[in-house]
Amino acid sequence: MRIIVLPEDWISRIAAGEVVERPAAVVKELVENALDAGAREISVRVEGSGSSSIRVSDDGDGIAAEDLALALERHSTSKLRDEADLFRIATLGFRGEALPSIASVSKLEIVSRTRQEQAGARLRVEGGKKGRAAAAGSPAGTTVEVRDLFFNTPARRKFLKSPATELSHICDVVNRMALAYAEVHFRLDHGARTLSDYVAAARPRDRLQQVLGPEIAGGLAPFGASSGKMTVNGFLSTAPSSYSTSRYLHMYVNRRFVRDRILTHAVLQGYETLLMKGRYPAVVLFLEIPYEEVDVNVHPAKYEVRFRRQSEVHEAVAEAIRSSLRAEAKAPGRTEILDREQAGFVVQEAALPYAAWPHKESRPPAEGYPGGTGSKGETVPKGFFSSLDIVGQILGCYLVCGSPRGMALIDQHAAHERIAFERMRRQLDQGEVERQNLLIPQILERGSPSSTTSALPWSVSGRAGSRSRRSRRSFPRGITGSSCAGWL
Ligand SMILES: Nc1ncnc2c1ncn2[C@@H]1O[C@H](COP(=O)(O)OP(=O)(O)OP(=O)(O)O)[C@@H](O)[C@H]1O
Ligand SMILES: [Mg+2]
């Protein structure tokens, strides 16, 4: 095959494929343009999943009538002036690619007026084919309407998810920008419904409440630190609030939302052992760093950045989180001194090594420790843990206990796991393991494929909902799943 030069409109569509992945990407680019233009009011109106229509209006600087056609040309931007600017980018946009890319895969109309001009101008572009700019009445600012997204790239349309999913991506985009620009009024309408209306907030904390809701925002504490020319600030969840996904991790570099492994790692490291494995905190982190210290030109959707001194950034972020969590833990009000009797804490456990309970009546409370019901007054063998005196609780997850040998700190999560494990082990010894069938059986394979020919099948299961049913084979030690099968 000979080499050919691709036609210009193919090139535009290939470029658009990287920039405009889905309707939310259009919203992101248009809102970024509005923010770069200094807008104080940004309104996003979406129809359907966004592929039928997205309209973004702002009250920013606007585009001069004679520049309007240029704004739709590839590599045309007002945000870079000389080559050195490329290495100290202060704006969200810089490549002059977003508008032409969007226009090459949609039917786009832009209307804009600067404050100095009396009349505005309008331009329509369909699948990259530009019409003529014409005078038009317009308030100061810019409105871009994008209709029939991907009308000329049906393959791309097929990759779109359900309207609800696409809409939720759009909400996420607006929310992320809103968190970083509290002083800007954001509004998102879907058809006749207003999904978000975040009036300009006097304090960043007010914006947190608007975007994350009172429950999550209420659990966040402010933090901040500087290191050299860097500053790290924002809000973080103090233990024990944690989440099973990283969706409440919002990280910004010079107010640009980024997904960055270094920052994520630094945040998690800052939490040290306060988080269980697989749990994530809620953190809104703003890193302010000299523009020349970060390269933002590394990702087509501008979601990733590269730091010149990544270990310094990592250390600054981890230390900011670590020290603020420590200060938070020491702050008055965080340590709850519990009245032992009032709280009803009674530590009960078998003397080590975890012998079977001598009498059925003296089993530990069903919910285990701490604060199980009906546990007072029962006679159980004394062990180290039962001799402890609970003084208080710190960070909502550690028990501070006094003992004849000194002070003991107990990780409540770990203690609870251990108690659950011991309970299962006891039930196992007594052949009374509580079981419930899995809806979809899990097959566990053991040994190499060649050994399976001589392997014996085993399974442990019970009727759904049946309790304490004796299995024909004993439950393999160490396996605490509720229904298992495999080969031995
Ligand atoms: N809402 C707006 N208000 C004022 N000017 C705008 C607006 N949208 C676009 N422009 C102008 O049009 C130019 C081209 O916009 P476009 O988004 O294509 O590129 P960019 O923002 O410079 O870079 P990027 O491709 O990284 O977004 C901008 O540089 C800006 O001058
Ligand atoms: Mg832009």
Side-chain angles (χ1 to χ4, degrees), residues 29-30 32-33 36 79 92-99 302:
E29 293 296 341
L30 298 182
E32 281 189 359
N33 280 346
D36 280 345
K79 301 171 191 176
L92 296 169
F94 53 88
R95 310 154 304 178
E97 280 220 60
L99 285 183
K302 299 174 283 182

Side-chain angles (χ1 to χ4, degrees), residues 126-452:
E126 191 168 318
K129 293 192 182 54
K130 264 204 267 33
R132 275 181 171 275
S138 160
T142 305
T143 296
V144 180
E145 180 160 13
V146 175
R147 285 183 299 109
D148 294 337
L149 185 63
F150 303 133
F151 80 99
N152 53 354
T153 49
R156 181 46 63 116
R157 216 171 233 269
K158 282 193 199 131
F159 280 101
L160 294 182
K161 299 279 187 288
S162 70
T165 305
E166 295 301 334
L167 192 61
S168 82
H169 285 295
I170 291 174
C171 292
D172 285 348
V173 160
V174 172
N175 286 346
R176 284 179 203 138
M177 307 243 203
L179 279 174
Y181 288 83
E183 71 280 16
V184 177
H185 180 176
F186 285 84
R187 187 180 162 123
L188 171 62
D189 289 288
H190 179 240
R193 264 192 333 140
T194 300
L195 300 182
S196 325
D197 191 5
Y198 306 140
V199 292
R203 300 172 313 153
R205 178 172 272 295
D206 298 336
R207 180 51 59 89
L208 280 192
Q209 296 263 359
Q210 293 170 330
V211 176
L212 301 177
E215 198 185 319
I216 292 179
L220 301 184
F223 74 98
S226 332
S227 166
K229 289 181 179 167
M230 272 181 277
T231 63
V232 186
N233 62 63
F235 297 87
L236 47 67
S237 57
T238 50
S241 332
S242 68
Y243 305 88
S244 57
T245 72
S246 58
R247 72 176 310 234
Y248 296 112
L249 270 185
H250 289 85
M251 286 169 301
Y252 299 82
V253 176
N254 294 336
R255 292 180 118 188
R256 178 192 304 279
F257 175 84
V258 293
R259 298 192 184 106
D260 187 81
R261 277 185 316 118
I262 308 271
L263 294 182
T264 307
H265 187 266
V267 167
L268 296 182
Q269 201 177 74
Y271 271 82
E272 294 176 323
T273 54
L274 286 178
L275 287 170
M276 297 278 283
K277 210 169 169 225
R279 303 290 295 178
Y280 295 87
V283 177
V284 180
L285 179 141
F286 298 106
L287 171 68
E288 299 294 326
I289 184 168
Y291 298 124
E292 57 277 11
E293 291 287 320
V294 57
D295 186 359
V296 295
N297 188 20
V298 293
H299 187 259
K302 299 174 283 182
Y303 271 129
E304 287 171 18
V305 292
R306 200 180 294 141
F307 297 108
R308 262 184 70 194
R309 288 178 246 262
Q310 60 182 46
S311 54
E312 281 175 33
V313 170
H314 184 281
E315 187 43 36
V317 171
E319 183 49 33
I321 302 261
R322 200 180 297 130
S323 52
S324 93
L325 283 170
R326 283 184 190 153
E328 183 70 17
K330 280 190 209 139
R334 292 296 306 165
T335 308
E336 298 157 45
I337 302 296
L338 302 174
D339 178 322
R340 186 169 185 250
E341 284 308 307
Q342 236 182 358
F345 277 116
V346 176
V347 180
Q348 293 190 334
E349 39 89 47
L352 292 173
Y354 296 90
W357 292 89
H359 306 296
K360 281 208 166 208
E361 301 73 51
S362 62
R363 284 189 182 175
E367 285 309 312
Y369 164 84
T373 50
S375 51
K376 278 188 180 180
E378 289 175 4
T379 50
V380 290
K382 279 268 178 188
F384 171 72
F385 289 107
S386 31
S387 70
L388 296 178
D389 205 15
I390 298 174
V391 182
Q393 187 194 38
I394 51 170
L395 294 172
C397 59
Y398 294 105
L399 295 176
V400 184
C401 307
S403 91
R405 279 154 54 191
M407 190 187 79
L409 271 184
I410 298 180
D411 179 333
Q412 265 176 252
H413 291 294
H416 184 256
E417 279 171 4
R418 179 68 193 223
I419 285 163
F421 175 72
E422 290 302 330
R423 187 165 56 233
M424 286 191 85
R425 198 147 83 168
R426 247 185 344 268
Q427 289 171 345
L428 185 63
D429 287 342
Q430 295 165 0
E432 293 177 358
V433 182
E434 280 182 18
R435 294 183 303 271
Q436 187 176 351
N437 269 359
L438 293 177
L439 197 58
I440 301 164
Q442 296 271 324
I443 307 293
L444 301 184
E445 298 206 0
R446 301 182 69 219
S448 62
S450 59
S451 68
T452 54

